[in-house]
Amino acid sequence: MHPVELIELMIVGGILLVVLLVSFIFKGIWRKIIQGFALLFWVSFVLFYFVRPYWIDIQIEKKLGYIQMHLEEQYPGETWEYRTVPHREDGYESSNPYYIGVIFGSEPQVEYKYFARNKSDIIQSGWYTSELQSDQNDLLHLEVLEE
């Protein structure tokens, strides 16, 4: 379990405990209302906890479509492949799954990182190479941010 998940569980457990303790101060209908609120809070968290990975998958697919359109516009005739973070596997919790790696066919030793907010807001946020790269000028697909 990742430390962030442990912290989330501790916060939710603490809030749930406080709400349940407060419910024992009240009597009658108010106790039932507060306990119902605690139950609703717990069900909402469990639902969120189990739905979140699927929501991330849907968002990644949408962002891949945006990046696909951007690359087709910027580099017609070029081939590429994508590399995404396997966010459901252990060991990748600290990696942002929304940064998509792109490896071009004409430059297989370099992986460019792209981030898409929407159709019109796509940026190349960095690059990585496993080989010793002498200069950034040697990179064929490096996009310079215009300010």
Side-chain angles (χ1 to χ4, degrees):
M1 181 177 285
H2 193 265
V4 171
E5 291 175 339
L6 189 59
I7 291 169
E8 287 173 353
L9 289 173
M10 288 172 46
I11 290 172
V12 167
I15 292 171
L16 201 55
L17 183 65
V18 168
V19 170
L20 286 175
L21 288 175
V22 166
S23 77
F24 290 117
I25 295 171
F26 293 95
K27 295 190 186 293
I29 190 78
W30 286 106
R31 178 180 289 180
K32 298 274 188 214
I33 290 172
I34 294 172
Q35 288 174 348
F37 174 72
L39 181 65
L40 180 68
F41 179 73
W42 180 74
V43 168
S44 299
F45 175 73
V46 168
L47 198 67
F48 170 76
Y49 191 77
F50 287 109
V51 168
R52 182 170 47 177
Y54 299 105
W55 176 258
I56 291 172
D57 288 341
I58 291 169
Q59 295 301 310
I60 289 172
E61 287 299 319
K62 187 165 58 169
K63 290 173 187 301
L64 274 173
Y66 297 155
I67 292 171
Q68 175 76 23
M69 289 187 298
H70 172 76
L71 293 176
E72 286 173 353
E73 182 182 301
Q74 291 283 11
Y75 308 104
E78 180 73 73
T79 60
W80 53 79
E81 65 181 52
Y82 300 108
R83 187 171 296 167
T84 59
V85 174
H87 64 93
R88 292 180 184 214
E89 295 178 15
D90 288 338
Y92 293 95
E93 293 91 353
S94 62
S95 301
N96 188 338
Y98 297 114
Y99 284 94
I100 314 255
V102 176
I103 301 169
F104 291 94
S106 61
E107 202 173 14
Q109 73 279 8
V110 181
E111 179 179 337
Y112 295 92
K113 291 290 185 179
Y114 282 86
F115 182 78
R117 285 188 182 88
N118 53 43
K119 289 180 188 177
S120 59
D121 190 9
I122 299 168
I123 59 169
Q124 188 184 74
S125 58
W127 55 273
Y128 167 79
T129 181
S130 57
E131 297 179 6
L132 197 55
Q133 194 73 24
S134 61
D135 192 8
Q136 284 186 6
N137 296 331
D138 296 339
L139 299 174
L140 302 175
H141 301 92
L142 187 63
E143 296 178 13
V144 180
L145 291 176
E146 298 158 5
E147 303 205 21

